[in-house]
Amino acid sequence: MAEPHPHPNHLWRNPEPKRAYDVVIVGAGGHGLATAYYLAKNHGITNVAVLERGWLAGGNVARNTTVIRSNYLWDESAAIYEHSLKLWEGLSEELDYDILFSQRGVLNLVHSLGDVREGRRRVYANRLSGIDAEWLTAEEVKAFCPIVNTSPDVRYPVMGGTLQRRGGIAKHDYVAWAFARRADEMGVDLIQNCEVTGFELEGNRVVGVQTDRGPTAAGRVAICAAGHSTVLASMAGFDLPIQSHPLQALVSELLEPVLNCVVMSNAVHVYVSQAHKGELVMGAGIDPYISYAQRGSPHVIEYQLAAAIELFPIFSRAHVVRTWAGIVDVSPDASPILGLTPIANLFINCGWGTGGFKATPGAGWVYAHTIAHGQPHALNARFALERFTTGALIDEHGAAAVAH
Amino acid sequence: MLIPCPWCGDREDIEFKYGGAAQIAYPANPDSADDAAWARYVFFRPNPKGKMAERWVHSAGCRRWFNLVRDTVTHEITPTPAAEERR
Ligand SMILES: Cc1cc2nc3c(=O)[nH]c(=O)nc-3n(C[C@H](O)[C@H](O)[C@H](O)COP(=O)(O)OP(=O)(O)OC[C@H]3O[C@@H](n4cnc5c(N)ncnc54)[C@H](O)[C@@H]3O)c2cc1C
Ligand SMILES: [Zn+2]
């Protein structure tokens, strides 16, 4: 693996908020920052502020486990996630920042006949969408990732798996900082410690935002607030079908390289990769209750560790060094909501739930298009809020539920 | 998180299943409810940052359902005074 570049010592200015902007983006997570970057780069819109209630990249973007893949079931999802994956493939160069994007392969293990059918169906669907996908037998799983326990003597033996070789991981905070630095260079104001507390409306049109540092006028406003999406929508007077849940993750101490790919198992409920520094990074499903506390229950961690040790007996002596949680915005069909709102000039990007890191460049790219043109791009048209009324859901529970 | 079961007292949350928001009424006139009304009933739920009325079931205990009010920021559970309201 190439040595990372020396870390840049200047990333962005810390400007005071101006009185007015063409576009105000709410939330300096990965999606808000990528949106600002593509607004400036693809659409020449640079009179833009990104307002962040905490610090830049203090939310899910730097709390997630960085699994990147595009092997979703339905055409709409495959198209938007694959668009994102293609952007990832050029991102270090484009942003001139080594974000440690590593296409080491994402392996989804299956442990039941139902899983086998679902996995094979997804492989075929992916191939029809032009996405690389392979079906591996249990022996092939063992050959690709030798430390997986494929013995038949466990409670849920590995019966095979799907593999997307172009999937992998990246270094999450570098991704946020790289987009931030480039957006800042093009004139975008990144304003931290600035919470949006309300919207200025004229009739059914947004004309600005209120913040804890005073009001700011805005031609257009774009919400990118992940776990806080419904809080912002209710300030503007509309509802979203979103539930905010804790999602936990953990890391071990730094270890010698032992794991060469990303391994996920929906059935025994854990996924794991080894970060560049050497820690094992693990996660599983959400905590069941609504929460904004950025913490979850310890038994969720205990359960995923049990699963990890069953799959990887070699990890039994590793230690948990840190656990944490983010607040994820879960939608009813496990697909995002990305487009217009009932309020004119107010846009929404949310519902990425447990799996929006991989979408960071793709979502920013289509969201910038949507904001610049006042209407969705073909890639996000189907992800409109109206689908919950029309019934045209994009059900990705099979591909997204536990797998991130 | 300790959940106060009205029948068994405080128990670890691992003994419970979550039932989401309390007091979600089925559409009053289902025959005349339009798509928007069904969408609201099926997909839209309260998601407050703060106090939330919600349902839990003591699935690994007495297996009974009850309501409580929990703060979604602090996870603090406010005792609901009347036992009837909790059940
Ligand atoms: C533990 C965990 C593991 C995950 N693993 C994966 C994974 O492996 N792969 C994957 O693809 N995805 C994963 N995800 C999901 C992914 O992290 C999110 O979908 C994605 O990061 C959300 O977009 P974001 O980066 O913009 O969110 P965030 O970084 O959360 O950004 C939202 C920002 O909005 C700000 N904000 C909120 N309200 C206001 C306000 N009123 N005013 C101003 N600012 C406001 C917040 O402070 C926050 O900084 C995981 C998430 C978690 C928590
Ligand atoms: Zn009980």
Side-chain angles (χ1 to χ4, degrees):
Chain A
M1 205 156 295
E3 276 297 302
H5 290 310
H7 196 269
N9 49 27
H10 173 81
L11 287 168
W12 54 79
R13 302 159 293 132
N14 264 314
E16 283 301 308
K18 292 194 287 194
R19 306 291 291 276
Y21 290 94
D22 293 341
V23 177
V24 163
I25 295 170
V26 185
H31 287 219
L33 295 166
T35 304
Y37 168 77
Y38 289 112
L39 270 177
K41 180 182 168 249
N42 293 357
H43 305 282
I45 300 173
T46 56
N47 185 21
V48 174
V50 184
L51 308 184
E52 167 54 51
R53 68 192 281 267
W55 66 96
L56 192 148
N60 294 345
V61 69
R63 293 166 187 269
N64 82 88
T65 47
T66 82
V67 178
I68 297 169
R69 61 193 178 86
S70 65
N71 54 353
Y72 284 69
L73 179 64
W74 300 107
D75 293 355
E76 298 84 353
S77 323
I80 196 167
Y81 287 106
E82 177 63 14
H83 177 61
S84 197
L85 181 51
K86 292 215 169 88
L87 291 170
W88 279 111
E89 288 172 331
L91 212 55
S92 285
E93 200 176 331
E94 165 154 8
L95 300 176
D96 188 25
Y97 196 132
D98 186 358
I99 55 170
L100 305 185
F101 178 52
S102 158
Q103 291 178 292
R104 56 184 64 187
V106 174
L107 188 56
N108 284 83
L109 302 178
V110 305
H111 307 261
S112 70
L113 282 174
D115 270 5
V116 170
R117 292 189 196 104
E118 195 280 329
R120 297 184 72 112
R121 176 190 181 199
R122 191 144 55 82
V123 164
Y124 295 129
N126 290 159
R127 288 199 191 150
L128 287 171
S129 299
I131 289 170
D132 69 302
E134 288 163 58
W135 172 257
L136 304 190
T137 62
E139 296 70 47
E140 288 166 337
V141 165
K142 185 82 186 163
F144 185 73
C145 184
I147 63 171
V148 176
N149 181 10
T150 53
S151 131
D153 302 333
V154 295
R155 178 68 184 82
Y156 297 107
V158 172
M159 295 178 72
T162 67
L163 173 63
Q164 183 175 26
R165 290 185 195 267
R166 287 165 60 241
I169 57 174
K171 185 147 168 51
H172 45 21
D173 40 12
Y174 286 7
V175 173
W177 300 341
F179 275 119
R181 182 178 65 151
R182 276 286 183 248
D184 171 89
E185 273 171 18
M186 290 187 285
V188 172
D189 283 357
L190 306 175
I191 299 164
Q192 308 182 68
N193 298 311
C194 181
E195 177 165 359
V196 172
T197 54
F199 295 92
E200 301 283 354
L201 300 177
E202 267 174 18
N204 191 40
R205 195 161 58 94
V206 72
V207 294
V209 296
Q210 294 141 10
T211 78
D212 55 4
R213 289 165 67 175
T216 297
R220 291 173 184 200
V221 179
I223 301 173
C224 259
H228 279 77
S229 298
T230 59
V231 175
L232 281 146
S234 64
M235 288 175 197
F238 68 98
D239 291 324
L240 291 168
I242 295 290
Q243 301 269 275
S244 298
H245 289 274
L247 178 63
Q248 304 190 64
L250 65 95
V251 288
S252 73
E253 71 272 54
L254 307 187
L255 302 169
E256 291 295 315
V258 282
L259 179 59
N260 58 334
C261 61
V262 181
V263 179
M264 330 186 64
S265 167
N266 284 8
V268 305
H269 226 117
V270 72
Y271 62 93
V272 52
S273 68
Q274 188 171 18
H276 291 82
K277 261 193 308 181
E279 66 269 45
L280 297 170
V281 182
M282 289 184 203
I286 55 172
D287 281 62
Y289 44 81
I290 306 285
S291 174
Y292 290 82
Q294 294 194 134
R295 62 189 156 81
S297 298
H299 61 81
V300 174
I301 296 285
E302 211 175 329
Y303 188 61
Q304 77 194 48
L305 285 171
I309 288 164
E310 173 116 327
L311 282 178
F312 301 97
I314 190 180
F315 294 167
S316 65
R317 302 283 176 89
H319 299 95
V320 174
V321 170
R322 235 163 355 106
T323 76
W324 66 91
I327 299 303
V328 295
D329 41 339
V330 176
S331 76
D333 58 357
S335 286
I337 300 169
L338 213 180
L340 314 184
T341 70
I343 314 287
N345 293 343
L346 179 62
F347 301 88
I348 185 77
N349 170 27
C350 68
W352 293 95
T354 60
F357 176 70
K358 66 178 71 63
T360 303
W365 196 98
V366 297
Y367 200 30
H369 178 102
T370 305
I371 299 159
H373 295 269
Q375 55 190 27
H377 187 272
L379 284 169
N380 63 308
R382 286 290 308 278
F383 293 96
L385 181 53
E386 287 78 55
R387 75 176 183 274
F388 299 99
T389 309
T390 63
L393 304 187
I394 306 166
D395 183 357
E396 287 291 354
H397 282 108
V402 176
H404 298 290
Chain B
M1 189 158 66
L2 285 179
I3 310 272
C5 172
W7 292 279
C8 311
D10 288 351
R11 298 292 181 88
E12 293 268 357
D13 63 331
I14 194 172
E15 293 186 17
F16 298 81
K17 286 229 154 42
Y18 188 56
Q23 282 126 23
I24 304 294
Y26 192 75
N29 298 302
D31 294 343
S32 56
D34 61 8
D35 287 352
W38 279 114
R40 290 205 66 78
Y41 173 67
V42 176
F43 296 122
F44 288 72
R45 288 290 179 274
N47 189 39
K49 183 175 183 179
K51 287 204 182 341
M52 165 144 183
E54 58 192 18
R55 312 228 341 113
W56 291 81
V57 58
H58 195 182
S59 46
C62 65
R63 303 182 61 184
R64 286 197 269 190
W65 283 93
F66 57 95
N67 294 348
L68 53 73
V69 173
R70 189 179 54 96
D71 190 305
T72 61
V73 179
T74 61
H75 293 182
E76 195 184 343
I77 293 169
T78 321
T80 311
E84 277 321 299
E85 276 175 48
R86 298 171 64 183
R87 297 181 183 191

